[in-house]
Amino acid sequence: QKTVLTYGTFDLFHVGHVRLLKRLRALGDRLVVGVSSDEFNTGKGKKSFCSFEERAEILLATEYVDAVFAENSWDQKRADVKRFNVDIFGMGSDWAGKFDDLKDCCDVVYLERTQDVSTTDIKKALAKI
Ligand code: C2G
C-alpha cells in the first residue's frame, strides 16, 4: 500500500487545495494530511478563519484524504514519514526544493500550484464587500 503525505493550513478550502489533494491522492493508495494547528499557524504568521477542528473535518469530508493529524512544528516531517510509513511526500510548487532533505527517506514531489486562487485573495475580496 503506497502512502502519500502532505501538510498545510487549508483555510477557507478552495479549488487550489482540491486540485492538489486530488493529484497527490492519485500518486498512491492513501493520502495522509498534517493540518497546521492554530498555534502553529500563529508561528507561520497566519490567522486562519476556520479552527483546526473545522479545517480537519473539511479535509476528511473530501474523497481524497484518508487521515489527518496535527502539524505542530516545522521539524516533525521526518518522524511523520516514519510513523505513517510514507512512500511519497508532496507539496505545491511554491515549496519547490524546500523539503528535498527528506529524499533519503521517501520520494519528494512538488506539484504545480493552481493559478489565481488563494486564501489570502479570498479574504481580500470579501473585505471589499
Ligand atoms: N496550494 C495550491 N494551489 C493554490 C493554493 C495552495 O496548490 N492556489 C497548495 C500549497 O502549495 C500547499 C497546499 O495547497 O501545498 C496547502 O496550502 P496552505 O494551506 O497555504 O499551506 P501552507 O501555509 O503552504 O503550509 O509544513 C508545511 C506547511 O504547513 C504548508
Side-chain angles (χ1 to χ4, degrees):
Q1 193 197 37
K2 192 174 279 192
T3 298
V4 184
L5 173 66
T6 192
Y7 296 81
T9 300
F10 296 101
D11 193 27
L12 300 183
F13 201 58
H14 55 66
V15 288
H17 299 137
V18 171
R19 292 172 189 167
L20 178 84
L21 296 170
K22 181 175 187 171
R23 284 174 288 157
L24 286 172
R25 177 65 182 76
L27 296 175
D29 305 297
R30 72 168 185 155
L31 173 60
V32 182
V33 181
V35 182
S36 307
S37 67
D38 296 330
E39 298 73 20
F40 183 52
N41 272 333
T42 306
K44 283 202 246 181
K46 283 187 167 187
K47 167 115 182 58
S48 58
F49 181 81
C50 300
S51 68
F52 168 81
E53 290 74 19
E54 290 167 337
R55 292 181 282 114
E57 182 176 347
I58 290 167
L59 286 166
L60 284 171
T62 69
E63 62 179 278
Y64 308 120
V65 177
D66 299 280
V68 298
F69 63 98
E71 177 187 31
N72 299 302
S73 75
W74 289 109
D75 46 27
Q76 67 183 78
K77 293 183 175 65
R78 187 170 289 273
D80 291 339
V81 166
K82 293 193 175 31
R83 173 158 63 122
F84 295 107
N85 194 21
V86 169
D87 300 282
I88 304 170
F89 171 86
M91 295 293 292
S93 52
D94 48 312
W95 290 96
K98 296 288 189 306
F99 302 112
D100 288 355
D101 62 300
L102 295 173
K103 283 185 173 175
D104 64 311
C105 56
C106 61
D107 293 344
V108 176
V109 298
Y110 303 102
L111 304 181
E112 197 52 42
R113 227 184 121 87
T114 301
Q115 298 301 314
D116 306 324
V117 61
S118 74
T119 303
T120 307
D121 292 348
I122 292 168
K123 284 180 175 177
K124 281 180 184 161
L126 290 175
K128 287 190 183 126
I129 294 173

